[in-house]
Amino acid sequence: MNETTATPKVGMGALFQNRFIRTILLSVFFLQIGIWVRNYSILLYVIEKTNENPVAVSLISVAEFAPIFLFSFIGGTFADRWRPKRTMVWCDLLSAVSVFAVLLTLLLGSWKVIFFATLVSSILSQFSQPSGMKLFKLHVPAELVQMGMSMYQTVFALFMILGPIIGTFIYQHFGIMAAIGVMGVAFLLSAGILSLLPPDREAEEVKVKTTLMQEMKDGFRYVLGSKPLSLLGGCFAAAGLAIGLTQPLGVFLITERLGLPKEQLQWLMAAFGIGMILGGGLTISMSKKIMPQVLLAMGLAASAIGFIGMGMSKVLWLTLAAQFFSGLFMPCIHIGINTMILQNTEEAFIGRVNGILNPLFMGAMVITMSVAGWMKTHVSIILIYQVAALLLFVGVATLLPLMKKREVKQEIRGEI
């Protein structure tokens, strides 16, 4: 299935000639509309209903990310068992069904059911995301992987700008019911586009049948036996602790540090997105010359500097500049992580490797996210952002053993 040639052409033309790339980018476009409308409409709705209660605001993020910690490994294991295209289509369809169920319940009952939409969507993504990585490995030639990941991240970057604006606009002008309807339609469109992907390959029947528990144990052994993946896990945990502290508190940078209305949060995200778009172009050129673990370390260090700047700033332009700087290097993080996983993982283990590493990140993030609201009521937001920056530098430190020996490891692995 891999469309490799003896002398492959690496360029945008070759990238967009790949049917999988074209289809997955269009699917992600509609999926991001649904996700961002969900994120912002629910955030603004809960803020309005609870009179800006920081604990309630942080619980939105817990509802989004806690299922990732609980279901990621199970989802990754099943993703290695199931057909990836079918899995992704069904996950989007079930997300749409859950959203419409929430809409019906909202018409009849309590507003707190709004958390259910986030919860179900988050659980299903744990089955869909590793399946997407598996399809990437199957359908994208090795020489196009980093460029494909860069384009993938560019779509995310565009929605860092457009997403908050679309979500805020729909909620403010049409209300929560219309916002939920848009979510459901977006998930349905994503599922329809994914159905255009090439058919799943029939599994070869030479495999020895194993139990789910045995496959889980094999996944842990695989990660622990790989130094790059083990160190990447430590990096994930440190970064998760840092992000969890700041994820629920961005709105308070706007309302408290800058004294602006909560709706202005969308411009903070827009600055981050503009940085990501520009950074994506820079990362495409850098990724050909720089090892993925170096890209990842650069991105984490830049985010740490951005956190320090955002926490200390009391003027809008400086806060926006810090967000822009963090966004500029964010593609380094995403592309570095995904490339490290794809380069160091066999196709049969991609789901389980994702399912082990993601809970390290998300579990750590949920821990600090759960206490972020409480910390906000007891300590300065400046201190919280500085602690987050320190944790990111710890993440950089975990990657240092990989900086010099990577090329040798690649040669050894190629000979095995």
Side-chain angles (χ1 to χ4, degrees):
M1 271 273 192
N2 249 350
E3 302 165 14
T4 52
T5 58
T7 54
K9 292 182 179 180
V10 179
M12 285 296 174
L15 188 71
F16 284 105
Q17 285 171 12
N18 187 288
R19 179 182 171 186
F20 170 79
I21 292 286
R22 295 196 308 268
T23 305
I24 206 73
L25 289 178
L26 187 57
S27 167
V28 167
F29 175 81
F30 287 108
L31 198 59
Q32 286 294 296
I33 290 176
I35 288 170
W36 279 101
V37 170
R38 180 197 72 192
N39 290 349
Y40 263 73
S41 61
I42 290 177
L43 174 65
L44 296 173
Y45 184 67
V46 171
I47 286 174
E48 193 174 290
K49 284 286 184 180
T50 63
N51 196 27
E52 300 188 20
N53 186 303
V55 176
V57 171
S58 67
L59 283 176
I60 300 172
S61 298
V62 173
E64 180 179 356
F65 294 110
I68 299 177
F69 172 65
L70 296 172
F71 288 91
S72 185
F73 185 50
I74 297 171
T77 305
F78 276 107
D80 284 337
R81 285 183 155 212
W82 294 342
R83 296 181 184 181
K85 172 190 169 182
R86 182 183 294 178
T87 302
M88 293 178 74
V89 170
W90 272 105
C91 285
D92 281 352
L93 286 173
L94 291 173
S95 290
V97 170
S98 71
V99 164
F100 289 126
V102 167
L103 180 60
L104 181 63
T105 311
L106 263 182
L107 291 169
L108 304 173
S110 168
W111 66 269
K112 293 177 184 176
V113 75
I114 197 74
F115 289 101
F116 183 74
T118 302
L119 187 71
V120 172
S121 176
S122 180
I123 292 171
L124 291 170
S125 71
Q126 301 322 297
F127 295 84
S128 177
Q129 191 269 341
S131 296
M133 289 282 282
K134 196 164 186 174
L135 283 173
F136 223 95
K137 185 97 172 176
L138 284 169
H139 294 291
V140 180
E143 67 275 5
L144 291 177
V145 166
Q146 288 199 4
M147 191 177 295
M149 286 292 175
S150 297
M151 287 302 302
Y152 193 69
Q153 293 305 320
T154 300
V155 176
F156 284 85
L158 283 170
F159 275 92
M160 293 297 292
I161 301 171
L162 299 176
I165 296 171
I166 294 170
T168 302
F169 177 84
I170 290 175
Y171 176 74
Q172 289 184 334
H173 288 78
F174 304 104
I176 192 65
M177 300 297 184
I180 292 175
V182 170
M183 293 178 220
V185 171
F187 290 138
L188 285 175
L189 288 171
S190 176
I193 291 163
L194 286 173
S195 68
L196 301 176
L197 284 171
D200 284 315
R201 232 172 23 186
E202 289 291 336
E204 297 176 5
E205 293 297 329
V206 283
K207 271 190 171 181
V208 178
K209 288 192 176 181
T210 57
T211 64
L212 183 64
M213 188 60 65
Q214 182 60 49
E215 290 182 14
M216 288 182 175
K217 290 177 181 177
D218 290 344
F220 277 106
R221 275 195 290 266
Y222 188 86
V223 171
L224 292 173
S226 168
K227 184 176 180 181
L229 294 177
S230 297
L231 290 173
L232 186 59
C235 176
F236 267 41
L241 291 172
I243 301 299
L245 283 176
T246 59
Q247 178 83 17
L249 303 182
V251 69
F252 297 106
L253 287 179
I254 297 294
T255 58
E256 287 190 14
R257 295 293 294 168
L258 303 180
L260 297 172
K262 62 183 183 296
E263 286 79 11
Q264 299 303 309
L265 178 63
Q266 62 183 301
W267 305 117
L268 204 61
M269 301 304 292
F272 189 81
I274 293 170
M276 278 189 70
I277 292 172
L278 297 176
L282 293 173
T283 307
I284 290 174
S285 57
M286 288 193 302
S287 65
K288 298 173 185 176
K289 304 172 184 177
I290 301 176
M291 294 182 293
Q293 61 269 34
V294 176
L295 282 177
L296 176 55
M298 288 169 55
L300 292 173
S303 291
I305 294 169
F307 278 171
I308 294 170
M310 283 183 278
M312 299 188 69
S313 171
K314 294 191 74 173
V315 291
L316 180 59
W317 71 265
L318 183 57
T319 303
L320 292 175
Q323 272 282 69
F324 174 81
F325 181 75
S326 294
L328 196 64
F329 286 88
M330 185 55 65
C332 293
I333 295 177
H334 292 303
I335 295 167
I337 287 171
N338 290 328
T339 304
M340 282 185 71
I341 291 174
L342 289 173
Q343 284 181 352
N344 291 284
T345 309
E346 298 169 35
E347 178 195 321
F349 285 89
I350 286 178
R352 280 165 284 181
V353 168
N354 272 278
I356 291 168
L357 295 181
N358 280 340
L360 287 173
F361 178 81
M362 293 300 174
M365 184 162 68
V366 168
I367 289 170
T368 47
M369 201 178 278
S370 301
V371 300
W374 176 85
M375 286 181 68
K376 166 68 180 58
T377 62
H378 288 79
V379 299
S380 165
I381 197 170
I382 300 174
L383 179 61
I384 294 174
Y385 271 75
Q386 288 174 342
V387 169
L390 178 62
L391 288 166
L392 288 176
F393 282 124
V394 171
V396 173
T398 64
L399 297 171
L400 294 179
L402 297 175
M403 297 301 182
K404 294 182 181 178
K405 298 182 180 178
R406 175 62 177 163
E407 291 177 1
V408 176
K409 283 178 179 266
Q410 287 269 29
E411 290 173 9
I412 292 173
R413 180 167 288 202
E415 293 170 4
I416 294 174

